[in-house]
Amino acid sequence: MTNDSFRWRTILEVAVISTVIYVLLGTPGLPASFTGKSSGDNNIPISRAKTESLVYPDKNLSCPNHNVDIHIFSTSPLIIYIDGFVSESEAEHLVQASSDKWRVSTVFNQGVESTNESVRKSEKALIDRDEIVQCIEQRALSIQGWPDETFIERLWTQRYNVTGHYAHHYDWATSSKQSRRVSTFMVYLSANCEGGGTNFPRLQMSKDPRWCEFIECDGALDAEGVTFNAKRGNAVFWTNFDAEGRGYKETIHAGMPVTNGTKVGLNIWTWYQAGHVAPE
């Protein structure tokens, strides 16, 4: 197989992949059998995300065309490595937009917010929604096929300096049978660092050496599973639930420690809310 056949660049191919994502997101709506629990009856943690945190594009928003290379790592759960999700200028814009907004990242334990550097050591910034940010929000929806009643949560950036990390966790989130955080993008805005990859300990390594461009293959990291390399402008996308509403155990993941330099990431979370419509 040639390198050209390993990449998808055309509108048709991206559209096909978007359809696959849409189906694996469960199509619009949840099945009646949704229980709010993961497989194995593990409770999915209650989300603090509310509909007030959802964002909507300006009516006259106009976004330039943007091409990406999409590489499907897994179909169940759907996990995709996206080469060129944001441009160099967009990445730099988001880093600069965060520069005066950094604050210590927190964790929640039984509904209580606190700092715990053994779990999460980083800084976060809630960025303003200018035209560039809104176009990135819409890009995230378009890659997923614009599913009904599905929206983007307000975007946060994350900065990891030396020893910065985020221990293994899920992005599962649900507040009722009719709402859930269906998918995640982890976007790398700045990766002037060593370490800092995104590790999925329950995934199996690919046997195809071409993946070594995007994942850690040389065994230098003391980590199980698969670690996606942090590369500026690229992203990892994954779905958090199956079509029956069960959280995928395979999506447990961690931000590996930065051993040198600084990493800046962007979280994009997609939220399904039954019956919710964008305001006029």
Side-chain angles (χ1 to χ4, degrees), residues 44-148:
I44 294 173
I46 300 300
S47 171
R48 297 181 66 85
K50 307 294 182 183
T51 56
E52 289 81 6
S53 71
L54 304 181
V55 295
Y56 317 96
D58 292 342
K59 290 182 179 179
N60 298 322
L61 180 68
S62 178
C63 300
N65 292 330
H66 183 87
N67 296 321
V68 300
D69 291 340
I70 291 180
H71 311 280
I72 300 176
F73 186 85
S74 167
T75 56
S76 182
L78 184 63
I79 299 177
I80 297 174
Y81 193 88
I82 306 173
D83 196 356
F85 179 78
V86 295
S87 67
E88 288 281 336
S89 62
E90 288 172 335
E92 184 60 27
H93 175 80
L94 293 176
V95 171
Q96 291 301 318
S98 308
S99 61
D100 61 347
K101 296 179 173 61
W102 296 118
R103 65 192 198 202
V104 175
S105 297
T106 55
V107 295
F108 287 90
N109 186 8
Q110 296 181 343
V112 178
E113 184 177 16
S114 64
T115 58
N116 185 342
E117 289 191 351
S118 67
V119 176
R120 186 182 190 187
K121 185 180 180 182
S122 66
E123 299 166 293
K124 63 181 180 179
L126 184 65
I127 54 177
D128 296 330
R129 297 184 63 247
D130 60 17
E131 184 174 293
I132 292 175
V133 171
Q134 291 187 55
C135 285
I136 292 171
E137 294 166 354
Q138 293 308 298
R139 187 177 305 156
L141 282 177
S142 71
I143 286 176
Q144 299 176 77
W146 301 285
D148 291 341

Side-chain angles (χ1 to χ4, degrees), residues 256-271:
M256 299 298 286
V258 172
T259 58
N260 185 39
T262 299
K263 179 185 79 172
V264 179
L266 171 69
N267 296 124
I268 304 179
W269 292 305
T270 311
W271 184 267

